[in-house]
Amino acid sequence: MAAAAAAAAGRSWGSRGMEAAAGSCRAPLPAWWGLLLALLLAGCCQGNSVERKIYIPLNKTAPCVRLLNATHQIGCQSSISGDTGVIHVVEKEEDLNWVLTDGPHPPYMILLDGSLFNRKVMLQLKGTSRVSGLAVAVAKPSPPQGFSPGLKCPNDGFGVYSKDYGPQFAHCNKTVWNPVGSGLSYEDFDFPIFLLEDANETQVIKQCYQDHNVPREGSVPEYPLCAMQLFSHMHAVTSTVTCMRRSSLQSTFSINPEVVCDPLLDYNVWSTLQPINSSGKVDPEKEVIIVATRIDSHSFFWNIAPGAESAVTSFVTHLAAAEALHKASDVHLLQRNIMFTFFQGETFDYIGSSRMVYDMEKDKFPLRLDNIYSFVELNQVALRNDSVLWMHTDPVSRMNTSVEARVRNLLDILSNSSVGANVTLQEVGYSQPLPPSSFQRFLRARHIPGVVLTDHRTAFQNRYYQSMYDTPENVRMQYPEGLSPEEMLDYVTDTAKSLAEVSTVVARALYRLAGGANDTSAIQADPKTVSRMLYGFLIKMNNSWFQSIVKPDVKGILGDDVPQHYVAVSSPVNTTYLVQYVLANLTGTVVNLTKEECLNPEKTPSSEREMYDYAWVQGSLDPNSTSRVPYCVRSTVHLTKALSPAFELRQWGSTEYSTWTESRWKEIRARIFLVASKELEIITLVVGIVILVVSLLTTYFINAKADILFSLPRDPGAVAY
């Protein structure tokens, strides 16, 4: 039976071999194809694992990206496949010599200490081909000498002063407002620059450098070396005119258009003390006082814009003043209305204010310029010396007799409102021009009586204007150690008390300016509310108060990251949403409407939909459960588009309006790894190619001779007839 089984097995194998040989006439897939397919499938499964073993990703980074205006491009970018270089840590200026001249392994990726991130060093690196990129570590503490990558004359050319209007004040000839401004944010770098936000990741890079790249006993470091790769390739080039034209052509002629840049845009937030028809027009005889501030900031790195002094403290003061005024019992009887306005995109040549002025001129806004009685703007107000707040006015428009009389009245009311308060308001000299402010865009259109309140008489007190160091520490926010997040939310800081004083003075002055005659001692800003807003806008947006006042469908804006106030290109941004909901919470009224009625107020006859906005908000947590108690808020808060008129008019080369755009990109990422020498890489490549060729030839030969090599010899006992 064994012999029979063996013979059967032999026939079976022989028949399969013959079938294979016969099948070769039908050209089946070679055997090595199956092996290759199996290897590919295995590679797919193991690829991520291999990559994780080779690369260490840097997850907490912020890139420098490309921005463009009518004439220039600024910012940074990598090559299309990313830029790679050997890491060198630069902690003092002498360390640059290795990168610029001595180092034998260029190009280098520099890990730069934040204290050296300045114009002098950056221009040195910009002028060499030995640098492929830069990773910047945050300096702690903040540079004592100050750091501002913005311009010395912010928004130069887009304010009111020009060769035709106050030429002696144009281009900051009279006052350099930001003397520490280096203009670094407005340079163009052809290599990637990233900010390292996580100190632990910075330490990982330094350790890798110490282990592999530090010269030992004067000798050159040997391979493998620690390297870094940065990806931040930008799609737009040259200027807004070029990138918008390309995007427009793509949109016109392509089925799948590839847009290369987007205008910076968002929404302005505004509300009124007395409700007005938001879809109609205010009566021409009705006078309105505009109170304004900006809500955006900027820094060298994308979406890193804490803006504590440059934006947050001013709009928080504004919000607190609005709340204090709304609590006055006779606001509905005031002779003049008050509009609380929060402009977006002001950092980039007054996007928000220029759009509102444009809409007023074109009858696309409920108010006209003729309705404006006076203008009060809160600028940087947190860093006061001896509790002094300075009142800036425009000396050119004050040459008009009627404007001068209204400005003098405004100044007197503000000064009188500060009597008995811990804030002293002083007038700047008559020959002093206005600081960079939204008010300037209104003056370009019409002589309007107005004042800008700041904590500086001449140059900014803020040494970190438009920088990553304009943080809560810059405005002296301090909390006792050991407080929980909820305790910090309600802790009234000295900064909050100080800003509440300013809010009180402003609210009382606005009441008098609007025609109020009653005693103003009851008009008082709440320091606890100010403290809550400072905590939410500067430290942690995802707190219990903000959670309770937003709509359920936008609760995702309350991330756990440190709040940032960059205008961006997708709108509304988190800051806009939160200013909207905080303003509604502080000035609105809780109404007894169901969810259905609140979401569809037009179905309720008494809702006055044109006069009010309705929001169904989450509410606070029920003390006895994990569910919330939602409610409906009625307010006069509205949003209007903050997109530069240049894009409405398709005037991408405009010198009248902001033309800032942001380039699009495919990916932003950073990683470190060990890199071998070029010689070893070439040898490895050549050996790999040789092995591949030999393998293919061997496989081809074996496949061609498979019927001979793998067929069994015939059984000599078998006789064929």
Side-chain angles (χ1 to χ4, degrees), residues 154-229:
N155 291 355
D156 187 23
F158 290 87
V160 68
Y161 302 113
S162 66
K163 60 182 178 62
D164 301 317
Y165 187 99
Q168 69 273 29
F169 304 127
H171 312 299
C172 296
N173 287 334
K174 186 78 174 179
T175 305
V176 177
W177 296 106
N178 186 29
V180 298
S182 65
L184 200 58
S185 288
Y186 296 84
E187 291 288 335
D188 183 38
F189 296 92
D190 60 359
F191 52 79
I193 303 176
F194 279 53
L195 176 69
L196 299 173
E197 299 181 74
D198 188 344
N200 292 328
E201 290 188 342
T202 303
Q203 192 54 45
V204 168
I205 298 171
K206 288 184 176 181
Q207 189 60 53
C208 186
Y209 166 79
Q210 291 287 340
D211 293 343
H212 299 279
N213 296 10
V214 174
R216 308 294 180 188
E217 299 177 357
S219 62
V220 173
E222 297 181 356
Y223 286 98
L225 297 173
C226 190
M228 183 184 295
Q229 189 172 31

Side-chain angles (χ1 to χ4, degrees), residues 584-652:
N585 177 268
L586 297 180
T587 63
T589 306
V590 177
V591 290
N592 187 24
L593 294 178
T594 65
K595 181 178 181 181
E596 179 66 24
E597 291 170 334
C598 190
L599 296 177
N600 302 283
E602 65 279 359
K603 296 180 181 179
T604 305
S606 60
S607 67
E608 297 182 285
R609 183 69 180 87
E610 298 79 12
M611 311 291 283
Y612 297 101
D613 179 77
Y614 291 81
W616 184 258
V617 300
Q618 291 195 118
S620 302
L621 284 171
D622 189 321
N624 300 319
S625 71
T626 57
S627 61
R628 295 185 176 273
V629 184
Y631 56 91
C632 187
V633 176
R634 186 185 71 181
S635 70
T636 61
V637 180
H638 304 280
L639 300 181
T640 55
K641 189 177 291 185
L643 170 66
S644 171
F647 299 100
E648 291 281 318
L649 302 169
R650 297 177 68 86
Q651 296 176 359
W652 303 320

Side-chain angles (χ1 to χ4, degrees), residues 551-610:
K551 293 180 179 179
D553 56 338
V554 297
K555 61 183 179 181
I557 65 174
L558 302 175
D560 291 324
D561 294 333
V562 175
Q564 307 296 341
H565 308 289
Y566 175 60
V567 60
V569 296
S570 58
S571 58
V573 296
N574 297 3
T575 305
T576 303
Y577 269 129
L578 288 171
V579 168
Q580 176 190 7
Y581 292 127
V582 169
L583 183 59
N585 177 268
L586 297 180
T587 63
T589 306
V590 177
V591 290
N592 187 24
L593 294 178
T594 65
K595 181 178 181 181
E596 179 66 24
E597 291 170 334
C598 190
L599 296 177
N600 302 283
E602 65 279 359
K603 296 180 181 179
T604 305
S606 60
S607 67
E608 297 182 285
R609 183 69 180 87
E610 298 79 12

